[in-house]
Amino acid sequence: MTGNGTITASPQAPDLRDQEREAQLAAALARCAAGDRTALRVIYDSEAPRMVGIARRILFRQDLAEEAVHDAFIRIWRGAAGFDPRRGSARGWLYAVVRNRALSIHRDEHRYEASDESAGDVDSETTLSRMPEASALRRCLEQIDRPRRDVVVLAYVHGMSHGELAGRLKVPLGTVKSWVRRSLFALQECMG
Amino acid sequence: MSPHDADNAMAADYVMGLLDGAEQAAAERRIETDQSFAQAVSAWRARLADLDLTAEETPPSPALWQRIADATKIAPIDALPSARAALRGTTLWDNIRFWRGLGIGGAFAAALFAMIMIGALATSRQLRHDMLALAQRKPIYVAVLVNDTTKEAGAIVNAFSNGRVELIPLRPIEVPAGRSLQVWTLWDRAIGPKSIAITGQSRTLQLDLESLPETVQDQLFEITLEPEGGSPIGRPTGPILFKGNAARAL
């Protein structure tokens, strides 16, 4: 969003595109559940790059991120019938599957090491700045003081555990747990 | 759900990825069984969803899709659990789970279709195309063609509401040189079998039933081995490879 002239006209278009994409993904999941393999490819073409990005923020390595996406697509194929459009968006469901796989690989095989340089690049403020200005989540996160809001972003985006957060922010475990809890409550109050 | 509710806190931690192994497994079980917990999880997913969209799109290596395709190749049989049993020798006819599975899949597709309709998103042509494809995915009649001797399932025939009928082979059928596979249907013994397709190899076929009455319950479908180009006398002459009767999908 750099051109001033387009700002007033633009909010509608991406919204409609998102709705369209969402409906296509929901339809594709229904087709997967019916055994249509071309539908899995439709989902892959549409969402795999974002899913690799999501997994990479947790696992830092491209090969591990692709492993998570690989596992996720096998689960999506086998579990497509478990997606219930009344409960939430298709996209949210797909991203939850890949985060789940990435977190599982992270827990089993790839804990943050002191020597892990890439973990140093983690920065919750950069993530926040990438969110659309109109995002209610962004607005509500910005109302929470740092570093209490950092724990939410670091845990969700980078898959950090309570222990990892405590180590990184150099505060006791109990403090981290209470920050997470209170920040999430504040978000719920703020967003409804 | 109140923010201070223990279930709500557990749902939030689950979506955040902060539960340990045992707690996480417990949460996953509750999603299956506890409607209000499942709703709390969905609500947290929706709240935090914008964070997913901040992930940079990173193209996967070209080999990734091939690996996924290979790993999911056998899965269509998983989707119809008893089809595999059929391939091992039992028939599908008595297996209620198979039929019920088909019915549930169809009902799910129909429910989703209805939901998307109500969603008033019908503005896009692509979407309309998708909805149509979805509606046409539910066959009204299904026939599983089985070999009489080996009891192996060889193909499935699906008849759809718009009159479309397709044959999907479940296994490769060896066709000797100079021979063809011919597909027949019989709905009235007085009239006799009618040819609906001739092919040189086992592949998915769109069957030509235009000139025939609509598919009915118990209508017989069969595949025979015939001279190249089809039976010269308009009736099956060769051995019956696979046959089965249409049954209404639940």
Side-chain angles (χ1 to χ4, degrees):
Chain A
M1 282 244 229
T2 46
N4 289 330
T6 63
I7 283 176
T8 48
S10 54
Q12 198 64 22
D15 198 39
L16 204 65
R17 265 208 310 280
D18 277 355
Q19 285 187 349
E20 214 173 285
R21 177 133 103 162
E22 172 60 29
Q24 281 166 5
L25 288 172
L29 279 171
R31 280 157 57 204
C32 281
D36 179 354
R37 296 183 74 234
T38 61
L40 192 68
R41 180 72 206 230
V42 169
I43 297 171
Y44 183 87
D45 287 341
S46 166
E47 298 304 323
R50 176 84 72 200
M51 288 166 75
V52 172
I54 287 171
R56 214 184 146 133
R57 293 197 298 194
I58 294 171
L59 297 165
F60 296 107
R61 278 167 42 188
Q62 178 77 10
D63 59 335
L64 289 174
E66 291 195 10
E67 209 50 46
V69 173
H70 174 266
D71 293 356
F73 270 91
I74 290 166
R75 287 195 172 221
I76 289 162
W77 175 242
R78 296 199 176 139
F83 164 66
D84 181 349
R86 287 165 306 182
R87 277 194 197 162
S89 79
R91 246 181 164 187
W93 189 80
L94 296 169
Y95 295 166
V97 175
V98 76
R99 276 188 70 242
N100 206 304
R101 296 323 301 149
L103 286 169
S104 161
I105 292 173
H106 169 55
R107 302 246 160 81
D108 295 347
E109 296 162 27
H110 184 71
R111 304 220 61 99
Y112 286 104
E113 308 281 333
S115 61
D116 197 335
E117 288 169 25
S118 45
D121 299 338
V122 165
D123 174 19
S124 64
E125 290 308 284
T126 311
T127 303
L128 221 57
S129 69
R130 289 176 62 95
M131 295 168 88
E133 306 225 356
S135 162
L137 179 61
R138 175 175 179 165
R139 183 172 48 79
C140 291
L141 277 170
E142 280 170 349
Q143 285 174 20
I144 302 170
D145 291 331
R146 298 189 70 185
R148 286 195 297 120
R149 75 164 170 241
D150 294 345
V151 294
V152 174
V153 177
L154 293 174
Y156 187 88
V157 170
H158 299 291
M160 288 192 182
S161 66
H162 287 125
E164 285 161 347
L165 290 167
R168 181 182 167 86
L169 300 170
K170 301 190 175 53
V171 290
L173 192 61
T175 306
V176 161
K177 285 187 175 175
S178 112
W179 281 356
V180 170
R181 179 69 49 241
R182 284 206 259 153
S183 297
L184 288 173
F185 286 162
L187 276 184
Q188 185 170 358
E189 295 284 347
C190 175
M191 296 179 75
Chain B
M1 199 173 270
S2 143
H4 300 281
D5 191 289
D7 280 355
N8 179 49
M10 185 181 183
D13 284 350
Y14 172 71
V15 172
M16 289 289 293
L18 285 168
L19 297 181
D20 68 31
E23 292 169 327
Q24 191 187 324
E28 269 159 12
R29 276 194 304 276
R30 281 196 62 190
I31 292 172
E32 300 302 320
T33 56
D34 182 341
Q35 190 78 13
S36 90
F37 183 73
Q39 270 165 10
V41 166
S42 300
W44 276 108
R45 269 187 198 151
R47 271 181 208 116
L48 297 167
D50 281 356
L51 281 170
D52 288 326
L53 300 180
T54 62
E56 225 158 319
E57 294 195 282
T58 313
S61 57
L64 182 60
W65 170 252
Q66 197 47 53
R67 285 179 55 218
I68 292 168
D70 290 344
T72 53
K73 209 160 259 172
I74 48 152
I77 291 176
D78 281 345
L80 303 175
S82 12
R84 184 177 282 164
L87 292 174
R88 281 197 302 263
T90 55
T91 75
L92 293 179
W93 297 106
D94 309 327
N95 194 323
I96 188 67
R97 277 182 60 208
F98 174 80
W99 299 111
R100 196 179 285 150
L102 277 179
I104 291 170
F108 176 77
L112 181 69
F113 171 58
M115 213 214 63
I116 295 173
M117 282 288 279
I118 294 162
L121 297 171
T123 46
S124 113
R125 212 169 291 149
Q126 172 64 37
L127 181 57
R128 230 174 281 146
H129 176 80
D130 268 17
M131 293 193 304
L132 207 63
L134 201 60
Q136 290 171 350
R137 280 217 58 84
K138 183 193 192 296
I140 306 179
Y141 288 99
V142 181
V144 179
L145 312 194
V146 177
N147 182 291
D148 245 356
T149 319
T150 65
K151 303 297 179 202
E152 285 170 345
I156 290 180
V157 173
N158 290 320
F160 297 85
S161 59
N162 61 358
R164 187 166 69 86
V165 181
E166 67 183 10
L167 179 142
I168 303 167
L170 297 177
R171 52 175 56 243
I173 303 170
E174 212 173 297
V175 185
R179 310 295 291 275
S180 290
L181 297 173
Q182 194 158 10
V183 186
W184 307 84
T185 189
L186 175 71
W187 73 101
D188 184 344
R189 292 205 175 273
I191 296 169
K194 288 284 173 196
S195 170
I196 45 176
I198 298 168
T199 178
Q201 49 174 319
S202 63
R203 60 184 173 84
T204 296
L205 294 171
Q206 300 303 320
L207 302 179
D208 174 22
L209 273 72
E210 289 281 282
S211 55
L212 303 180
E214 244 175 65
T215 306
V216 293
Q217 178 79 27
D218 291 331
Q219 182 166 331
L220 179 76
F221 290 88
E222 63 181 36
I223 304 173
T224 62
L225 195 59
E226 300 290 343
E228 194 161 26
S231 161
I233 59 166
R235 280 183 290 111
T237 60
I240 299 172
L241 302 177
F242 298 100
K243 66 173 185 178
N245 298 81
R248 193 167 246 291
L250 293 181

